[in-house]
Amino acid sequence: MKIPFNDLRRSFEIHKNEYENKVIEVLNSGRYILGEEVSKFEREFASKLGAKWAVAVDNGLNAISLGIETLGLGGRDEILVQANTYIATMLAVSHNNVKIIAAEPDEYYNMEPLEIERRITNKTKAVLITHMYGQAADMKEIPKICRNHQLMLMEDCAQAHFARYESQCVGTFGKMGFFSFYPTKNLGAFGDAGAIVTDDETVYEKLISLRNYGKRDRYYNELIGYNSRMDEIQAGLLRVKLKYMEDINGERTEIANQYISKISNPHIKTPRVRANATSIWHLFVVETANRDGFKRYLEEQGIATEIHYPIPPHLSGAYSKEEWTQKSYPKTEYYSNHLLSLPLYNGMEQEEIEHVINVVNAYAPEA
Ligand SMILES: *Cc1c(COP(=O)(O)O)cnc(C)c1O
């Protein structure tokens, strides 16, 4: 049996007619940029999350970049980011010419709250956490630490749409939450798309302007803005998918629970979920001593896997000359050498799930 790492067509097929009808509806509307679909998506997405406002943009990276830009930081200001995040989080900070301070993750792969206190300096202005692999970070301690040190809190939720901490959705704990709707994300568009959510009206107004050349009204430009708009077609398709969000996250949770309860190989450590937190299982990441050998073994058995991420940002060529990358990040490096993501996708068949479990349980590392 061949098992792909992901297969986006399967969840498309379930609501194929609705998606197709939506595309045709938008084509017939004659309005392709910043119309009804975008503003309806913004209202629906914000309300489902429990945020006041959402601003739809062209992708997740630009969501973070524009969000940081509204804070007006620069020069020698610093933003604290976790070292094991996907590099896009870092890129957004760099695009704003703000300095990166990296902090090590905890055992749930999320920002370690104590690390924030260890790494802040008198130039640190904000903390940008990433809810890694779908699981909410420690949203009891992190907001408290940010308040105590007067740091602005921002959340990269690109992997964690509707993950919760004590029933509150991630993205709503701080100044802003950033989302990507890249096709493989749990709420994935059919192309690039992203959004920022916020309860801060000033931030909201700035974002509406920044994404559209820096203007609120036609030809009155107040800011040096960008073209970072979400397409009507993507917004329409996202509105269709948003209706099925509980099913999407629920199905993934069901698969993850089977993996957790049935993978019993002592060489494979399955992920744990923090008390009071939920994961939406964007990725199902296991830890093992000989990761590359395990990956090869699964490949030979026809099971495709991925590594998230093989090169942590501080070891990437892009950041080789920066000051923060001269420090060592042993936990982050350990994770990048020992984690492996197993196939977990919507539309995965029960026999595929069981096959993965059986093959994983039959794995014996070479001595
Ligand atoms: C996917 C992702 C992004 C970037 O989103 P794009 O829409 O691909 O630009 C940013 N941060 C994290 C953690 C991501 O997983």
Side-chain angles (χ1 to χ4, degrees):
M1 190 186 292
K2 272 228 177 288
I3 301 188
F5 181 69
N6 200 348
D7 183 356
L8 296 177
R9 278 169 314 177
R10 298 198 197 183
S11 51
F12 164 69
E13 293 287 341
I14 304 171
H15 304 291
K16 191 175 193 288
N17 286 340
E18 259 188 279
Y19 289 124
E20 288 178 353
N21 291 342
K22 182 55 85 175
V23 169
I24 291 170
E25 183 190 327
V26 174
L27 290 178
N28 281 318
S29 77
R31 181 82 192 244
Y32 309 122
I33 297 280
L34 295 187
E36 288 269 290
E37 296 292 342
V38 164
S39 50
K40 282 183 180 159
F41 173 69
E42 288 174 336
R43 281 199 296 276
E44 290 162 4
F45 187 59
S47 122
K48 222 174 163 77
L49 279 170
K52 267 199 186 135
W53 289 290
V55 179
V57 294
D58 51 350
N59 59 63
L61 170 59
N62 287 344
I64 311 171
S65 292
L66 297 180
I68 294 172
E69 186 159 338
T70 65
L71 302 178
L73 304 179
R76 295 158 62 210
D77 294 333
E78 297 166 353
I79 297 184
L80 215 143
V81 185
Q82 71 208 56
N84 66 323
T85 187
Y86 178 54
I87 197 165
T89 322
M90 309 276 186
L91 298 176
V93 177
S94 302
H95 292 162
N96 279 280
N97 294 313
V98 178
K99 272 180 72 181
I100 293 168
I101 301 292
E104 289 262 71
D106 63 13
E107 72 264 39
Y108 305 94
Y109 316 122
N110 278 323
M111 180 71 97
E112 162 66 56
L114 292 174
E115 271 283 290
I116 301 177
E117 301 210 288
R118 264 182 228 130
R119 307 259 178 173
I120 47 176
T121 73
N122 54 8
K123 300 187 199 77
T124 312
K125 294 288 163 25
V127 173
L128 171 52
I129 62 166
T130 305
H131 300 285
M132 289 297 288
Y133 309 140
Q135 182 173 171
D138 185 345
M139 299 318 281
K140 186 167 176 207
E141 288 305 316
I142 294 169
K144 208 189 290 171
I145 292 168
C146 289
R147 266 195 308 276
N148 288 347
H149 297 275
Q150 295 179 318
L151 301 169
M152 276 178 287
L153 173 60
M154 295 177 282
E155 300 167 76
D156 181 342
C157 310
Q159 305 187 354
H161 316 74
F162 302 98
R164 290 161 192 272
Y165 187 84
E166 285 180 348
S167 81
Q168 184 177 343
C169 284
V170 302
T172 64
F173 287 86
K175 196 81 174 160
M176 283 173 262
F178 307 120
F179 291 86
S180 163
F181 308 118
Y182 183 79
T184 60
K185 311 287 173 159
N186 287 34
L187 178 56
F190 295 80
D192 276 310
I196 305 106
V197 299
T198 184
D199 281 356
D200 183 322
E201 188 163 10
T202 313
V203 166
Y204 169 72
E205 300 280 345
K206 268 194 199 158
L207 287 169
I208 289 287
S209 168
L210 279 178
R211 76 162 170 200
N212 192 25
Y213 312 125
K215 67 184 180 186
R216 269 320 296 247
D217 299 310
R218 274 190 159 193
Y219 310 125
Y220 290 90
N221 295 68
E222 314 272 318
L223 297 169
I224 302 174
Y226 306 84
N227 176 350
S228 266
R229 301 173 299 233
M230 184 192 286
D231 289 347
E232 279 287 284
I233 286 186
Q234 296 305 336
L237 292 168
L238 283 168
R239 288 184 64 217
V240 173
K241 200 173 253 186
L242 189 58
K243 292 192 295 179
Y244 302 110
M245 205 61 229
E246 280 81 17
D247 296 347
I248 291 168
N249 286 347
E251 183 185 12
R252 299 178 82 96
T253 301
E254 217 263 300
I255 299 169
N257 286 342
Q258 286 200 51
Y259 279 170
I260 290 170
S261 63
K262 295 182 191 158
I263 290 176
S264 54
N265 189 328
H267 302 289
I268 306 300
K269 199 165 133 194
T270 53
R272 285 150 304 162
V273 179
R274 187 193 310 277
N276 303 320
T278 68
S279 176
I280 55 145
W281 304 105
H282 170 58
L283 294 169
F284 190 90
V285 174
V286 299
E287 226 173 289
T288 187
N290 180 4
R291 191 266 316 274
D292 296 335
F294 181 49
K295 182 171 174 45
R296 237 176 293 119
Y297 160 81
L298 292 174
E299 234 154 61
E300 282 159 16
Q301 306 287 318
I303 297 173
T305 58
E306 299 275 356
I307 298 170
H308 298 94
Y309 299 91
I311 313 224
H314 72 279
L315 297 179
S316 69
Y319 284 123
S320 63
K321 293 193 180 65
E322 302 220 350
E323 198 185 313
W324 64 275
T325 64
Q326 312 312 311
K327 295 199 178 76
S328 74
Y329 302 91
K331 275 193 188 169
T332 296
E333 287 175 31
Y334 178 88
Y335 289 151
S336 84
N337 291 322
H338 292 85
L339 298 185
L340 188 68
S341 305
L342 301 182
L344 191 164
Y345 46 88
N346 291 100
M348 199 172 181
E349 307 274 354
Q350 184 57 30
E351 59 171 351
E352 294 177 314
I353 300 165
E354 277 163 21
H355 184 65
V356 172
I357 292 166
N358 292 337
V359 171
V360 169
N361 282 340
Y363 167 67
E366 298 131 45

